[in-house]
Amino acid sequence: MVYNLDVTKDHPLADKFALDFNDMVKADGGRGVFPGETVAISLDNAERAKRKHAPESTMDSALGITSRGSLPRTRNKRMLMCEFRFKYKNWKNISKTELEEKVAYSKSLMQENYDGNIESKCFFIFDKSVYQQAKSYFSRAYSTRTGGRIVVTEEEFLESIF
């Protein structure tokens, strides 16, 4: 899979909630190592606009992706959800139930007025200081589905998607 700006901008939420991806990452405590033209949909902002007084928890962002090597034609367009976990200092504060509720609600939020696909894999981007512990926790918590919940650092996400 590879990031695609056009797929991101084609999502109905992009008109109001597309932001610079590096700005989003930096606001959450990351460094922002991604290409300058990278735009993502802020699912947090979309949810706050929808339910001002009692917003549900959502994944932080969604990016448009396609199959790697499909340019100039794009194949298998879909949206990929990401969660930033840079401020986590203790992996024990991670709740599988809470994460799955975020994923499920974010998916339903993104599917409103959208007939495209949502990638089943979700990326959780951690700071290097807790990355190994978080990765270990996810592999235990998701023993049969670890492939769908991917723990990475910013650099690994950059390498995987860009």
Side-chain angles (χ1 to χ4, degrees):
M1 67 183 88
V2 65
Y3 172 77
N4 187 290
L5 179 62
D6 293 331
V7 174
T8 303
K9 288 182 174 182
D10 284 346
H11 193 280
L13 293 174
D15 288 339
K16 292 183 181 178
F17 305 108
L19 299 173
D20 180 276
F21 191 59
N22 282 317
D23 289 346
M24 293 173 69
V25 168
K26 289 175 186 176
D28 213 82
R31 292 191 351 256
V33 298
F34 305 97
E37 69 280 355
T38 307
V39 172
I41 297 168
S42 171
L43 296 177
D44 290 339
N45 289 354
E47 176 59 11
R48 280 193 291 273
K50 183 177 179 178
R51 300 177 202 262
K52 292 179 185 182
H53 300 294
E56 296 284 335
S57 292
T58 61
M59 299 287 282
D60 291 315
S61 65
L63 302 108
I65 58 172
T66 59
S67 295
R68 192 169 292 279
S70 67
L71 292 176
R73 292 187 0 224
T74 54
R75 289 191 331 252
N76 200 11
K77 299 177 190 179
R78 57 207 188 276
M79 298 300 293
L80 173 71
M81 296 183 291
C82 300
E83 174 77 3
F84 309 133
R85 295 291 173 133
F86 301 114
K87 295 178 183 174
Y88 268 66
K89 300 302 176 208
N90 187 346
W91 64 269
K92 293 178 183 176
N93 294 335
I94 301 169
S95 162
K96 179 181 176 183
T97 304
E98 181 183 309
L99 293 177
E100 287 306 306
E101 287 172 357
K102 276 185 171 210
V103 169
Y105 184 75
S106 298
K107 188 173 182 177
S108 69
L109 176 67
M110 290 183 58
Q111 287 179 322
E112 291 177 18
N113 302 317
Y114 180 64
D115 59 357
N117 294 320
I118 309 294
E119 173 65 40
S120 61
K121 295 178 184 175
C122 298
F123 281 82
F124 294 85
I125 307 173
F126 281 85
D127 185 77
K128 289 179 182 178
S129 64
V130 294
Y131 163 73
Q132 288 297 339
Q133 295 92 340
K135 192 169 184 171
S136 177
Y137 169 78
F138 272 69
S139 70
R140 288 189 311 275
Y142 293 97
S143 59
T144 60
R145 297 183 343 170
T146 305
R149 306 295 178 255
I150 303 167
V151 175
V152 292
T153 62
E154 277 185 82
E155 292 75 14
E156 288 175 331
F157 188 66
L158 175 68
E159 224 174 86
S160 298
I161 307 299
F162 294 90

